[in-house]
Amino acid sequence: GQQVQQSPASLVLQEGENAELQCNFSSTATRLQWFYQHPGGRLVSLFYNPSGTKHTGRLTSTTVTNERRGSLHISSSQTTDSGTYFCAIGGSALGRLHFGAGTQLIVIP
Amino acid sequence: EAAVTQSPRSKVAVTGGKVTLSCHQTNNHDYMYWYRQDTGHGLRLIHYSYVADSTEKGDIPDGYKASRPSQENFSLILELASLSQTAVYFCASWNSGNTLYFGEGSRLIVV
């Protein structure tokens, strides 16, 4: 089945530093999405990005489909960015997602 | 903003007992999903449904049943709860947009 690998597993930043989170997947079928999980557990969708580059605020998602990889760039990190970031790859229906194990981000003041 | 609500938010169940986790969405979404998350891991799909009165198996359906009595409601049923089913369970809904809306999760501890 679809394999999704994220790196690094964890990351500690000083506030203001940038972060680059990586996602590699085993199939060329993408429907790549990024999710953020609050420290309390709530999950929110950040990006749906099957290919190319998308921006929202300080976040940039880049997906290179033929290389089976995606990345999430966080610029000028803030303490409120702390949490876990998941990459997920979709199947035939958007919600049939295969999740990576996540990157836990800690931003210290 | 789509709303997906889960109940209970947390539960302690005994091994061999029956557990029902409920999910309600208020945005007329066709697709609903149940995922489980184990500590330190991503989410895995248990069951999903694209129409009332019909459910489909996801990637890890063993030990779970699902019920979709209406478009708004989707339940996950553990007939004989086991220790290995201790996890956080998330319900989600989607309807042809590019965003999956998650509930806040139900923490289940089986003892």
Side-chain angles (χ1 to χ4, degrees):
Chain A
Q2 180 72 261
Q3 301 292 323
V4 183
Q5 294 187 324
Q6 293 186 242
S7 61
S10 62
L11 185 60
V12 180
L13 298 176
Q14 289 279 350
E15 196 167 27
E17 292 182 327
N18 299 331
E20 187 89 5
L21 282 55
Q22 302 294 336
C23 177
N24 292 279
F25 43 91
S26 60
S27 169
T28 54
T30 58
R31 300 180 181 260
L32 187 146
Q33 297 191 72
W34 288 96
F35 293 88
Y36 168 67
Q37 187 168 38
H38 290 261
R42 182 168 164 258
L43 279 156
V44 294
S45 175
L46 296 176
F47 289 102
Y48 169 71
N49 187 11
S51 66
T53 299
K54 293 188 175 182
H55 305 273
T56 181
R58 296 179 292 104
L59 303 181
T60 301
S61 166
T62 300
T63 303
V64 184
T65 307
N66 60 356
E67 295 182 11
R68 303 178 185 178
R69 62 179 177 87
S71 65
L72 180 67
H73 183 85
I74 305 172
S75 63
S76 304
S77 62
Q78 301 176 359
T79 56
T80 51
D81 295 330
S82 296
T84 304
Y85 294 79
F86 289 101
C87 168
I89 304 299
S92 56
L94 184 62
R96 288 210 65 174
L97 297 171
H98 298 274
F99 282 76
T103 293
Q104 183 180 26
L105 176 64
I106 298 171
V107 182
I108 55 178
Chain B
E1 179 76 14
V4 179
T5 55
Q6 296 182 225
S7 63
R9 293 292 313 281
S10 66
K11 183 175 180 64
V12 178
V14 295
T15 304
K18 182 177 181 179
V19 176
T20 300
L21 304 178
S22 300
C23 180
H24 179 78
Q25 53 101 356
T26 59
N27 288 278
N28 296 317
H29 287 179
D30 290 329
Y31 284 77
M32 296 186 75
Y33 306 85
W34 276 107
Y35 284 89
R36 73 174 271 174
Q37 182 178 30
D38 296 282
T39 304
H41 292 83
L43 282 69
R44 293 181 290 169
L45 182 64
I46 307 170
H47 284 288
Y48 67 102
S49 168
Y50 54 85
V51 68
D53 295 323
S54 177
T55 64
E56 306 292 333
K57 294 180 179 179
D59 298 321
I60 53 164
D62 293 346
Y64 302 94
K65 292 183 180 179
S67 173
R68 183 94 182 268
S70 64
Q71 187 189 40
E72 299 80 15
N73 295 293
F74 191 36
S75 297
L76 185 68
I77 303 152
L78 291 66
E79 295 278 5
L80 295 169
S82 67
L83 296 175
S84 64
Q85 293 176 311
T86 292
V88 179
Y89 292 85
F90 287 94
C91 177
S93 71
W94 171 70
N95 193 28
S96 69
N98 293 329
T99 302
L100 199 63
Y101 294 94
F102 282 94
E104 299 210 7
S106 296
R107 183 176 300 273
L108 175 65
I109 299 173
V110 182
V111 298

